[in-house]
Amino acid sequence: MANVVVVGAQWGDEGKGKIVDWLSERADVIARFQGGHNAGHTLVIDGTVYKLSLLPSGILREGKLSVIGNGVVLDPWALLTEIEKIAGQGVVVGPHNLMIAENAPLILPLHGELDRARESSNAVAKIGTTGRGIGPAYEDKVGRRAIRVADLGDEATLDARIERLLTHHNALRRGLGMDEVDGLGLKAALMEVAPKILPFAAPVWKVLAEKRKAGKRILFEGAQGSLLDVDFGTYPYVTSSTTLSGMAATGTGLGPSAVGFVLGIVKAYTTRVGEGPFACELFDDVGEHLARVGHEKGTVTGRPRRCGWFDAVLVRQTCALSGVNGIALTKMDVLDGLPELKICVAYDLDGKRLDYLPTAADQQARVTPVYETIEGWSGSTAGARSWADLPAQAIKYVRRIEELIQCPVALVSTSPERDDTILVTDPFAD
């Protein structure tokens, strides 16, 4: 059976939640493989809005197993709050449909405090983080001082982990003028939350290997976007994890051969949240139109998203980096009624034409877009479920995007509703 990896191919907020939910009907297991509760997915099902951060989008489908992999940094208190919130919407979450990797590192209150202290400091440039402790938690993971899910079940190990962790953090906090963390208080908080989290803990790598051997379909759910990748994004204005498709294997414990079809989620225009370069950003009436009609505010933070024209240079680059087999083009309906559309087909850097985003930060900030202008459409794409429902010029826009990014369109999403989707190629097809 084919497995599918879903990754954002821009700066995040591309509509991955809806696409993963739509695809999860065909899957048996839905696995999150990186990020934390800094990533928000909004789903609209029969008019009801669900907002998820840590929980895989497949949790809304009955009979499916949702998995939080080892590549995720887990805030246990945020997870319990999220579970309680969607329980109020009639969604039951328990060990029968949610599993957490035993080796997933935890986000602790001290991580969020450090994150916010750094971001508010005038001594360093702002990165634009959500302040939820994602970066500091990943730092502790690679620094080999993280507390992991399995440690919650072993008090002696937990004591040693806390001691090692606070040796680092309290020295850091003293340097920042922050109060030291009380080890006993931290341990008490962890011991209190442990019995609520441990029932979900499991050797995810083993369970997924068994599911795969049994022929079950696995849907790997990425968070954020490829341009926020810690290696290939617009560094340093990036997240602290690998957001490309390769992380699906290492972030769950399955080998690369388990990764089948790679689906890149691409918005019909471009947005980003926070700081960093954005060559196609618009500051005019069109930019305002995209923000207003597209409801462009962050799911997690509520921050307004910066908006601009579709950047084919960036998407072609991210499709190559993740080995994307096909894209899901979302939010087509936001472009309805615009008399003309522009697509960035190249960059100009000091008079030199580039067909990729350069690595150097100063060059990323200086590139200007080279646009191609095409005719817009006056009809509506909202709610379309077949090619026949789309205006002819909208189809031309889709076909031109395929040519420029050198990757076919597999799905087209025409509204936030689950079923307003045009299927071109089934990613789960064998």
Side-chain angles (χ1 to χ4, degrees):
M1 291 290 185
N3 298 321
V4 176
V5 181
V6 172
V7 293
Q10 293 161 309
W11 274 294
D13 309 308
E14 302 96 346
K16 293 182 293 298
K18 173 199 166 166
I19 300 300
V20 170
D21 170 67
W22 192 83
L23 288 170
S24 64
E25 183 180 17
R26 296 165 169 78
D28 300 293
V29 182
I30 299 89
R32 270 284 306 273
F33 58 84
Q34 50 77 221
H37 66 306
N38 56 334
H41 291 168
T42 300
L43 300 90
V44 182
I45 302 170
D46 296 328
T48 301
V49 178
Y50 300 88
K51 294 189 176 184
L52 306 177
S53 293
L54 271 169
L55 291 170
S57 299
I59 201 72
L60 301 178
R61 296 271 189 184
E62 291 188 10
K64 311 293 182 179
L65 175 63
S66 289
V67 168
I68 296 175
N70 57 277
V72 175
V73 282
L74 180 81
D75 183 323
W77 298 277
L79 176 63
L80 294 173
T81 298
E82 190 173 328
I83 289 173
E84 182 180 0
K85 181 178 179 180
I86 69 166
Q89 294 181 282
V91 181
V92 177
V93 179
H96 67 287
N97 64 351
L98 177 65
M99 185 179 295
I100 302 172
E102 295 172 319
N103 53 338
L106 299 181
I107 298 177
L108 306 175
L110 58 85
H111 291 128
E113 292 166 2
L114 177 59
D115 206 357
R116 293 185 291 274
R118 285 172 170 170
E119 193 70 1
S120 63
S121 171
N122 293 323
V124 294
K126 295 184 185 303
I127 299 297
T129 76
T130 61
R132 282 164 165 72
I134 310 299
Y138 274 117
E139 289 176 36
D140 283 343
K141 175 181 179 177
V142 298
R144 294 166 293 183
R145 54 181 173 265
I147 295 172
R148 307 197 295 180
V149 171
D151 299 331
L152 297 176
D154 182 349
E155 190 171 349
T157 298
L158 185 60
D159 286 338
R161 293 278 193 270
I162 290 174
E163 182 179 3
R164 179 177 175 84
L165 181 75
L166 294 190
T167 297
H168 171 83
H169 274 273
N170 280 339
L172 186 59
R173 291 168 75 96
R174 287 194 295 270
L176 291 170
M178 301 170 66
D179 293 337
E180 293 189 13
V181 175
D182 173 34
L184 292 177
L186 176 58
K187 179 182 177 180
L190 289 170
M191 294 300 289
E192 180 184 8
V193 81
K196 302 173 184 176
I197 295 296
L198 286 173
F200 297 101
V204 158
W205 66 270
K206 183 174 184 295
V207 173
L208 291 183
E210 292 168 351
K211 295 286 187 184
R212 185 186 176 212
K213 187 176 181 180
K216 302 299 183 182
R217 289 175 167 176
I218 303 171
L219 178 59
F220 300 93
E221 179 180 11
Q224 301 156 300
S226 300
L227 293 166
L228 295 176
D229 183 82
V230 70
D231 288 309
F232 292 98
T234 48
Y235 193 89
Y237 304 102
V238 294
T239 192
S240 299
S241 64
T242 296
T243 59
L244 303 178
S245 63
M247 187 63 185
T250 54
T252 60
L254 281 176
S257 62
V259 175
F261 191 100
V262 179
L263 182 68
I265 314 302
V266 179
K267 198 177 286 187
Y269 48 100
T270 311
T271 65
R272 82 170 297 176
V273 172
E275 308 297 325
F278 184 177
C280 294
E281 185 172 9
L282 296 173
F283 302 95
D284 57 9
D285 291 343
V286 174
E288 171 59 29
H289 169 91
L290 297 176
R292 176 173 41 81
V293 178
H295 304 290
E296 295 297 352
K297 288 188 176 182
T299 300
V300 171
T301 64
R303 291 184 295 180
R305 297 179 187 136
R306 301 154 64 190
C307 299
W309 292 119
F310 186 86
D311 191 330
V313 179
L314 289 181
V315 176
R316 182 172 61 245
Q317 185 165 325
T318 58
C319 283
L321 288 167
S322 274
V324 172
N325 300 107
I327 68 166
L329 192 63
T330 67
K331 304 192 89 166
M332 279 282 292
D333 53 306
V334 176
L335 302 180
D336 290 353
L338 292 176
E340 66 176 26
L341 306 172
K342 293 184 180 181
I343 301 175
C344 176
V345 298
Y347 295 136
D348 181 276
L349 177 63
D350 304 330
K352 180 181 179 181
R353 187 180 175 105
L354 297 180
D355 62 357
Y356 69 98
L357 181 70
T359 300
D362 68 313
Q363 294 181 2
Q364 289 182 352
R366 293 205 320 275
V367 296
T368 57
V370 177
Y371 285 122
E372 175 181 294
T373 302
I374 69 172
E375 183 183 345
W377 55 88
S378 57
S380 174
T381 64
R385 299 185 181 183
S386 71
W387 285 118
D389 296 333
L390 293 178
Q393 198 59 36
I395 296 175
K396 290 182 181 179
Y397 182 72
V398 174
R399 295 307 185 201
R400 185 57 179 148
I401 284 176
E402 288 181 314
E403 293 173 355
L404 290 169
I405 68 172
Q406 299 172 8
C407 188
V409 169
L411 298 164
V412 179
S413 171
T414 56
S415 94
E417 282 286 353
R418 172 186 277 173
D419 294 325
D420 289 344
T421 305
I422 300 171
L423 176 64
V424 182
T425 301
D426 186 353
F428 276 119
D430 295 337

